[in-house]
């Protein structure tokens, strides 16, 4: 989460300078509800191949979505993201249709999975399974995450200013930690380096003090085995992997230890143990989404630390390089006075791409976001646009058209967060009935959810839907060479256009006009499945124009096997749609411009735009 890093930073800069199982398992899950009209099975098993995610058709896959959700960190719904399966299904449908997501990072609670040492609560796991199934049935891939922040809420008493989540009460009791105190702490993230109770508890976990790490690994294995046994084969195929531990931090270092050697000597061995537990639980073919130390990807020099799992060697296909990113300068309110601009995070996200490439695996940015209320919330429209821009391409918009071959792979990412209860919580902070939290995330004064519920109980975006519901290549039949998307999202009344079509392509510029557009360039592979791009709701079929070497069409037709440019529903029955682009070759260069800016374009304009794009592609690839 942002404040674990950011708020510590502000003070640094400003002030200093198998188990016994309790309960009865439910009956074996019924057949998946994925519809038969999915055409190409989006829920096919995910693998890492040649440093990118790939499906069983050999297509390059991009995961885009949200964290579901910070509600898990609260007690009001007993460590579950949703109060009911019905709410989970409502959220999944909206996440697909309003947020354009095809994946979620699904938060789990160790405290609720193992409330008694050595006993897994299968009632909790059954509830988790049903809520996960709601997303799988909507055609959304899921990667669970055993979440923690500040180690555990049980380190904090009823009068504390802050709270945590993660470890169960028995794990805290075993440590006999000192009374928590952060001293002069303006922000909750300072606890990680100023609160002795938090520091010692984290230290004990990584050193397996009192056997707590062994207990966690056993619970994780039991949880994964439960999911494998209670999801049917089709549903289990939609599980993308597992995130073992959120934002790992040493607590304190041993003598002479650095963040890099801590990763080498303690964090990586933990991941190797977790990987073995995955294998034992029947998750052999699913990758572990492993995170470096939480300070690794920082845009503040005083907080930048060595790490990034540099000493783990080649991670390979059984691991995914999984990091987070928040603009700590923007959130501080002190170190960045203005708004984010074109290319703001190009270098930060390029570092993620480069680190994953050097590790021989795929990358995912499993948390990113910005506060939507408070003194820095005015930056959110530009900060989030710049983050999505950096996920799409490693280039600023100003340089994309002139050097598209440097665009790099499209990064997978899940925004923090998708909490339908935002602003409507009823959380007793640390169990204190005199501290009932209702506003924002109900978590240490944060407010980052992209949605909430309106007065009628409908899921409603709190951010510009042009920003959230994006065009992106969800499955590329071959290798993505370049991609960009100009969402034309708004900062107040200002339309943010960071990647206009250059004047050197006048017919393309005329076709796009003031509309949204995306451009994908790829080299075809050897499979037969089509390339797929998610079509936002702002791209209704009647207003969508595609200019491609595969065909040029306004208002694409419904998909058939012989239609090179077509539209089809996305799986899950949520009303969301995708563009399907079918080639019949291997190793050939292809491009596709997709825009909603044209109204009944002439055949001449379409042909001229195609000629311009063909010449542009030939010159740059």
């Amino acid at each position: 989460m942002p404040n674990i890093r950011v708020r510590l930073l502000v003070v640094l800069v400003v002030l200093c300078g198998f188990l016994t199982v309790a309960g009865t398992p439910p009956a074996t899950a019924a057949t998946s509800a994925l519809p038969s009209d999915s055409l190409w099975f989006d829920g096919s098993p995910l693998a890492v191949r040649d440093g990118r995610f790939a499906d069983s058709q050999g297509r390059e896959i991009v995961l885009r979505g949200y964290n579901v959700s910070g509600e898990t960190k609260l007690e009001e719904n007993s460590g579950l993201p949703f109060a009911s399966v019905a709410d989970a299904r409502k959220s999944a449908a909206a996440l697909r249709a309003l947020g354009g997501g095809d994946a979620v990072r699904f938060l789990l609670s160790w405290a609720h999975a193992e409330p008694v040492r050595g006993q897994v609560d299968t009632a909790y796991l059954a509830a988790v399974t049903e809520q996960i199934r709601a997303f799988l049935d909507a055609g959304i891939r899921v990667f669970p995450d055993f979440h923690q922040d500040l180690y555990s809420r049980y380190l904090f008493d009823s009068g504390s200013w802050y709270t945590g989540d993660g470890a169960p009460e028995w794990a805290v009791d075993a440590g006999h930690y000192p009374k928590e105190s952060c001293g002069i702490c303006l922000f909750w993230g300072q606890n990680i380096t100023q609160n002795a109770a938090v520091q010692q508890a984290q230290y004990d976990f990584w050193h397996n003090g009192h056997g707590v790490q062994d207990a966690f690994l056993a619970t994780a294995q039991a949880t994964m085995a439960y999911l494998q046994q209670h999801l049917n084969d089709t549903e289990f195929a939609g599980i993308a992997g597992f995130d073992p531990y959120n934002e790992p931090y040493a607590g304190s270092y041993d003598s002479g230890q650095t963040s890099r050697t801590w990763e080498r000597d303690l964090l990586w061995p933990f991941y190797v143990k977790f990987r073995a537990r995955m294998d034992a639980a029947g998750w052999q073919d699913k990758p572990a989404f492993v995170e470096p130390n939480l300070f690794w990807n920082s845009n503040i020099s005083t907080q930048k630390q060595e790490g990034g799992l540099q000493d783990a060697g080649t991670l390979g296909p059984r691991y995914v390089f999984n990091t987070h990113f928040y603009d700590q300068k923007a959130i501080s309110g002190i170190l960045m006075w203005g708004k984010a601009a074109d290319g703001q995070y190009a270098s930060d996200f390029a570092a993620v791409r480069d680190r994953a490439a050097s590790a021989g695996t795929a990358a995912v940015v499993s948390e990113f976001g910005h506060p939507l209320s408070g003194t820095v919330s005015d930056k959110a429209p530009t900060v989030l646009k710049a983050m999505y821009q950096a996920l799409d391409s490693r280039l600023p918009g100003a340089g994309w058209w002139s050097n598209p071959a440097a665009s790099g792979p499209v990064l997978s990412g899940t925004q923090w967060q998708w909490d339908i209860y935002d602003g409507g919580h009823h959380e007793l902070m640390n169990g204190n009935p005199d501290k009932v939290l209702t506003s924002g995330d109900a978590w240490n004064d944060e407010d980052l959810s992209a949605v909430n519920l309106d007065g009628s109980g409908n899921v409603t975006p709190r951010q510009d839907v042009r920003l959230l519901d994006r065009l992106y290549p969800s499955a590329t039949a071959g290798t993505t060479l370049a991609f960009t998307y100009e969402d034309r999202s708004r900062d107040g009344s200002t339309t943010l256009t960071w990647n206009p079509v250059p004047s050197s392509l006048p017919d393309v510029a005329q076709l796009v006009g003031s509309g949204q557009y995306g451009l994908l360039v790829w080299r075809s592979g050897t499979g037969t499945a089509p390339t797929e791009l998610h079509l936002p709701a702002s791209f209704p079929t009647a207003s969508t124009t595609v200019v491609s070497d595969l065909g040029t069409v306004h208002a694409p037709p419904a998909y058939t096997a012989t239609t090179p440019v077509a539209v089809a529903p996305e799986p899950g029955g949520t009303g969301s749609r995708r563009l399907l682009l079918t080639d019949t070759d291997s190793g050939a260069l292809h491009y596709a411009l997709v825009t909603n800016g044209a109204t009944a374009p002439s055949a001449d304009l379409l042909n001229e735009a195609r000629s311009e794009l063909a010449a542009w592609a030939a010159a740059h690839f």
Side-chain angles (χ1 to χ4, degrees):
M1 287 301 300
N3 286 328
I4 283 188
R5 293 178 289 181
V6 175
R7 294 180 172 181
L8 169 64
L9 161 70
V10 173
V11 171
L12 288 174
V13 172
V14 177
L15 295 183
C16 69
F18 263 99
L19 302 171
T20 301
V21 177
T24 303
T28 301
T31 302
S32 171
L34 275 175
S36 60
D37 65 355
S38 58
L39 301 176
W40 294 97
F41 178 43
D42 289 27
S44 62
L46 195 67
V48 176
R49 199 170 295 128
D50 298 325
R52 305 191 186 191
F53 290 115
D55 68 5
S56 61
Q57 303 287 338
R59 297 180 298 178
E60 182 181 307
I61 298 299
V62 172
L63 304 177
R64 286 289 176 89
Y66 305 85
N67 283 259
V68 180
S69 73
E71 172 70 26
T72 299
K73 300 198 285 187
L74 309 181
E75 287 298 303
E76 62 185 6
N77 285 330
S78 302
L80 293 166
F82 302 99
S84 66
V85 175
D87 277 2
R89 293 193 177 279
K90 175 193 292 186
S91 191
L95 188 147
R96 194 72 144 136
L98 296 177
D102 67 359
V104 294
R105 181 175 182 243
F106 193 101
L107 274 61
L108 303 177
S109 167
W110 177 21
H112 288 273
E114 190 188 4
V116 177
R117 185 166 193 161
Q119 296 184 19
V120 170
D121 185 348
T122 55
Y124 176 73
L125 297 187
V128 163
T129 303
E130 291 306 310
Q131 292 191 9
I132 287 177
R133 183 175 285 120
F135 287 85
L136 297 172
D137 286 350
I140 296 170
R141 286 188 172 91
V142 175
F143 60 101
D145 153 51
F146 263 120
H147 208 80
Q148 72 80 36
D149 284 300
L150 306 184
Y151 190 67
S152 174
R153 72 185 295 266
Y154 297 105
L155 287 172
F156 299 84
D157 60 40
S158 62
S160 293
W161 288 9
Y162 306 106
T163 191
D165 80 296
E169 187 172 13
W170 62 259
V172 172
D173 291 343
H176 302 290
Y177 300 114
K179 180 178 175 61
E180 70 85 13
S181 174
C182 197
I184 303 175
C185 283
L186 303 179
F187 309 110
W188 72 265
Q190 293 173 249
N191 283 275
I192 62 172
T193 56
Q194 291 182 229
N195 190 325
V198 174
Q199 289 180 282
Q200 291 181 33
Q202 292 278 22
Y203 182 91
D204 280 354
F205 181 86
W206 297 114
H207 290 79
N208 197 28
H210 317 289
V212 292
Q213 187 181 120
D214 287 343
F216 172 81
L217 289 168
T219 297
Q221 179 178 337
T223 298
M224 289 185 284
Y226 188 97
L227 288 169
Q228 191 272 338
Q229 293 161 10
H230 292 80
L231 295 171
N232 64 37
D233 291 346
T234 300
E235 292 164 341
F236 190 59
I239 301 293
F242 207 109
D243 185 342
Y245 198 89
N246 178 70
E247 294 184 347
Y249 177 66
S252 59
Y253 295 124
D254 292 318
S255 178
Q257 197 174 51
T258 66
S259 59
R260 179 169 175 173
T261 58
W262 174 79
E263 284 189 352
R264 181 194 66 196
D265 297 339
L266 290 169
L267 181 60
W268 181 249
F270 166 76
Y271 287 147
V272 172
K273 294 175 187 176
F274 196 96
R275 174 71 263 179
R277 298 287 185 155
M278 292 178 70
D279 295 346
W283 291 52
Q284 300 95 325
D285 298 329
K286 299 183 186 296
F289 287 52
V290 295
E291 301 184 31
N293 78 77
L294 68 88
F295 285 142
W296 176 78
N297 192 28
S298 167
N299 64 346
I300 303 291
S301 59
T302 58
Q303 200 179 7
K304 181 73 176 179
Q305 296 191 23
E306 289 186 339
L309 304 176
Q310 296 179 65
D311 299 303
T314 300
L315 301 186
R318 286 166 55 79
Y319 298 91
V320 167
F321 185 71
N322 169 20
T323 190
H324 298 172
F325 183 78
Y326 296 92
D327 184 342
Q328 301 163 351
K329 296 178 182 178
I331 295 176
S332 74
I334 297 172
L335 303 175
M336 173 181 161
W337 293 103
K339 306 288 185 73
D342 176 29
Q344 188 86 23
Y345 308 119
S347 61
D348 296 298
F349 283 62
V352 176
R353 289 177 171 89
D354 293 343
R355 181 66 199 103
S358 66
T361 189
V364 61
V365 183
S366 64
E367 280 191 32
F368 61 95
H370 190 82
L372 299 182
S373 63
T375 57
V376 299
S377 60
D378 64 309
K379 303 178 190 296
T382 57
V383 165
L384 266 296
K385 179 180 173 73
M387 288 179 179
Y388 275 111
Q389 180 193 52
L391 287 172
D392 289 344
S393 170
R394 66 190 296 151
L395 297 173
W400 192 90
W401 285 92
S402 61
N403 188 27
S407 187
V410 180
L411 280 177
S412 293
T414 49
Q415 182 178 331
W416 186 275
Q417 63 165 323
W418 189 275
D419 175 14
I420 63 173
Y421 308 115
D422 179 272
H425 293 284
H426 190 84
E427 173 72 2
L428 278 62
M429 183 177 178
N430 297 315
N432 190 338
D434 296 324
K435 288 188 176 182
V436 181
L437 305 182
T438 59
S439 62
D441 300 345
W443 168 262
N444 289 338
D445 297 323
E446 290 199 334
D447 184 13
L448 284 90
S449 178
V451 294
N452 60 12
L453 296 176
D454 65 16
S456 300
N458 300 313
V459 181
T460 304
R462 301 178 64 226
Q463 296 175 272
D464 190 341
V465 292
R466 287 165 289 227
L467 173 71
L468 298 177
D469 189 13
R470 307 178 62 78
L471 186 82
Y472 64 93
S474 54
T476 301
T479 303
T480 300
L481 301 179
F483 176 71
T484 189
Y485 179 53
E486 179 49 78
D487 57 45
R488 312 273 193 185
S489 56
R490 309 294 199 264
D491 179 12
S493 60
T494 302
T495 299
L496 300 173
T497 302
W498 291 352
N499 192 359
V501 178
S503 58
S504 58
L505 301 169
D507 296 307
V508 175
Q510 180 182 344
L511 185 70
V512 169
S514 60
Q516 298 167 297
Y517 81 88
L519 178 55
L520 174 68
V521 183
W522 75 101
R523 195 168 297 281
S524 58
T526 58
T528 58
T531 291
E532 301 184 10
L533 291 92
H534 168 71
L535 280 178
S538 58
F539 282 70
T541 300
S543 301
T544 297
T545 301
V546 181
V547 178
S548 171
D549 64 290
L550 299 175
T552 302
V553 61
H554 178 70
Y559 174 78
T560 69
T562 59
T563 308
V565 179
V567 171
E570 286 180 313
T574 61
S576 55
R577 296 162 306 111
R578 53 192 162 164
L579 180 70
L580 302 181
L581 304 169
T582 305
D583 61 66
T584 57
D585 48 38
S586 176
L589 182 70
H590 298 287
Y591 62 86
L593 173 82
V594 188
T595 183
N596 60 5
T599 302
S602 68
D604 286 345
L605 179 58
L606 292 174
N607 290 332
E608 289 161 358
R610 183 177 183 178
S611 295
E612 285 183 350
L613 285 172
W616 170 84
H620 290 286
F621 296 94

